[in-house]
Amino acid sequence: EIVLTQSPGTLSLSPGERATLSCRASQTISSNSLGWYQQRPGQAPRLLIYGAATRATGIPDRFSGSGSGTDFTLSISRLEPEDFAVYYCQQYEGSPQTFGQGTKVEVK
Amino acid sequence: QVQLVQSGAEVKKPGASVKISCKASGYTFTNYAMHWVRQAPGQSLEWMGWINAGNGHTKYSPKFQDRVTITRDRSASIAYMELSSLRSEDTAMYYCARVLVAGATLAFWGQGTLVTVSS
């Protein structure tokens, strides 16, 4: 099973700042098989990025994904109030597909 | 627009089974796979399995292989997930999620069904 480790666990930032979230895989995965999700309190997850770098429909361009091999990054260029949430990476290269433990982006 | 509407919250006793439904609308049900993911309170997401809504083929996570059954009713555009031999650790929010096109990018999610296992 591929383990995804996200860091940091919590990111404390102010609106307007840049957020950089990391996801490291326990083995190499294809960039086509890495996704990022946002989850706000009390809501279902929402797809942000798939294929490591492709924004899903309707996702603002302040969200961007990058990386390859075992190291992937989700960046949020300027945090809006609605961006304070938990973010999960997901891999579907290996079976079972797995999720990281999440990074919480909170208001500083 | 794509909508996935799940059945309501359930309270079950240890050892019982639960069956959750996920009614799909806004697209051709049989053209897309449906996955099931759960989330225990305060925890991350955990993939349980998926079904090819067209041919009924299923694949389950090894963790749940012996206890989970995913089925579908093509005529009603409903997917089901049944989990048996429930224990307290199965208390969680359960989500159905449709893939984007293929693979396992989970583009559309149901609202979730809370299952509480308690004696």
Side-chain angles (χ1 to χ4, degrees), chain A residues 37 39 43-47 50-51 88 90 92 95-97 99-102, chain B residues 35 37 39 43-47 59 61-62 95 100 104-107 109-110:
Chain A
Y37 298 81
Q39 188 175 34
Q43 295 186 15
R46 176 174 73 143
L47 175 67
Y50 62 95
Y88 296 98
Q90 172 217 25
Y92 35 93
S95 185
Q97 60 173 282
F99 293 87
Q101 83 279 17
Chain B
H35 291 241
V37 175
Q39 186 173 38
Q43 302 301 307
S44 181
L45 303 162
E46 187 171 33
W47 179 74
K59 186 172 178 67
S61 167
Y95 295 100
L100 181 61
T105 297
L106 304 177
W109 293 68

Side-chain angles (χ1 to χ4, degrees), chain B residues 7-89:
Chain B
S7 49
E10 303 263 12
V11 179
K12 296 292 183 180
K13 294 194 181 301
S17 296
V18 67
K19 188 172 184 177
I20 301 168
S21 67
C22 171
K23 180 165 177 56
S25 61
Y27 70 97
T28 302
F29 179 71
T30 51
N31 284 356
Y32 298 88
M34 192 75 78
H35 291 241
W36 289 87
V37 175
R38 79 176 188 180
Q39 186 173 38
Q43 302 301 307
S44 181
L45 303 162
E46 187 171 33
W47 179 74
M48 301 181 71
W50 68 275
I51 186 166
N52 181 318
N55 62 21
H57 171 79
T58 55
K59 186 172 178 67
Y60 303 128
S61 167
K63 177 176 179 176
F64 300 102
Q65 178 76 41
D66 294 337
R67 297 197 295 137
V68 70
T69 304
I70 299 174
T71 57
R72 94 291 190 218
D73 179 340
R74 289 190 300 178
S75 63
S77 299
I78 299 175
Y80 298 94
M81 189 284 297
E82 184 170 21
L83 188 63
S84 63
S85 303
L86 291 168
R87 35 210 188 227
S88 59
E89 310 90 89

Side-chain angles (χ1 to χ4, degrees), chain A residues 7-55:
Chain A
S7 61
T10 302
L11 200 50
S12 299
L13 295 167
S14 301
E17 289 193 294
R18 180 181 184 85
T20 303
L21 288 66
S22 172
C23 176
R24 176 163 290 178
S26 60
Q27 60 192 78
T28 297
I29 62 176
S30 161
S31 295
N32 288 336
S33 306
L34 194 287
W36 289 93
Y37 298 81
Q38 176 194 67
Q39 188 175 34
R40 295 173 178 144
Q43 295 186 15
R46 176 174 73 143
L47 175 67
L48 296 176
I49 300 286
Y50 62 95
T54 302
R55 275 188 301 276

Side-chain angles (χ1 to χ4, degrees), chain A residues 6-7 35 59 84 104 107:
Chain A
Q6 293 186 239
S7 61
I59 301 303
F84 292 92
K104 181 180 182 180
V107 179

